[in-house]
């Protein structure tokens, strides 16, 4: 029985050590991860290797004292290949107005910081761009 428990503990420890996490800002909602819904938008646990995350940008802007407006993107896709198990944090550019939000939606990209000083710019794809990437990679 002790041997069985040791094997289970080692299996769990190896699984945890191979996981990476990604935290997103409040304006980014995670819709699916690798095709699976029901995920926590604020903190994702991902396996090392290739991951496809479906996201949506959404934020509320006040147009005047009595009115506000939601700005939402169509679904956007983040394809990342996590080489190391790290705690990544995603950042959008500074979006202070509706105009900034629409500029972000027109050219969506985020910065991924791995918590160890490494940061990279990652473009988000629309559904059409994702399909084109998939089709061209098969050729």
């Amino acid at each position: 029985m002790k041997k069985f428990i040791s094997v289970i503990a080692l299996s769990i420890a190896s699984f945890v050590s191979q996981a990476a996490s990604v935290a997103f800002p409040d304006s980014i909602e995670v819709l699916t991860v690798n095709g699976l819904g029901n995920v926590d938008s604020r903190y994702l646990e991902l396996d090392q290797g290739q991951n496809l995350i479906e996201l949506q940008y959404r934020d509320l802007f006040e147009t005047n004292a009595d009115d506000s407006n939601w700005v939402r993107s169509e679904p956007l896709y983040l394809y990342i290949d996590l080489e190391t198990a790290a705690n990544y944090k995603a950042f959008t550019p500074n979006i202070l107005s509706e105009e900034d939000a629409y500029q972000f939606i027109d050219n969506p990209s985020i910065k991924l910081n791995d918590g160890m000083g490494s940061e990279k710019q990652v473009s988000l794809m629309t559904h059409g761009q994702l399909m084109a990437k998939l089709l061209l990679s098969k050729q």
Side-chain angles (χ1 to χ4, degrees):
M1 184 69 170
K2 285 185 180 180
K3 191 174 193 176
F4 177 73
I5 292 172
S6 297
V7 169
I8 295 296
L10 286 173
S11 298
I12 290 171
S14 67
F15 174 75
V16 170
S17 68
Q18 292 184 359
S21 65
V22 180
F24 289 94
D26 290 339
S27 60
I28 299 288
E29 180 182 1
V30 177
L31 305 174
T32 66
V33 175
N34 298 326
L36 303 173
N38 236 4
V39 294
D40 182 0
S41 289
R42 301 299 155 240
Y43 184 79
L44 297 178
E45 290 270 338
L46 302 170
D47 291 332
Q48 279 183 256
Q50 300 174 350
N51 290 275
L52 181 65
I53 304 170
E54 182 181 16
L55 309 164
Q56 183 181 40
Y57 170 81
R58 54 161 181 59
D59 209 348
L60 183 65
F61 295 93
E62 291 185 25
T63 52
N64 58 46
D66 296 330
D67 201 15
S68 57
N69 186 29
W70 277 101
V71 175
R72 290 184 176 95
S73 70
E74 294 295 319
L76 300 168
Y77 298 89
L78 171 61
Y79 174 79
I80 53 175
D81 192 354
L82 299 173
E83 299 164 2
T84 59
N87 295 320
Y88 293 91
K89 188 161 183 168
F91 296 95
T92 60
N94 286 334
I95 300 173
L96 303 174
S97 66
E98 272 187 69
E99 184 179 321
D100 293 343
Y102 286 116
Q103 286 177 356
F104 172 75
I105 290 170
D106 287 341
N107 189 19
S109 67
I110 59 172
K111 288 183 181 177
L112 277 180
N113 184 313
D114 69 0
M116 295 179 273
S118 178
E119 187 173 88
K120 66 180 176 178
Q121 188 83 16
V122 181
S123 293
L124 303 177
M125 295 178 280
T126 64
H127 185 264
Q129 291 167 328
L130 176 63
M131 292 298 105
K133 179 179 178 115
L134 289 172
L135 289 172
L136 291 173
S137 69
K138 299 261 181 203
Q139 294 179 357

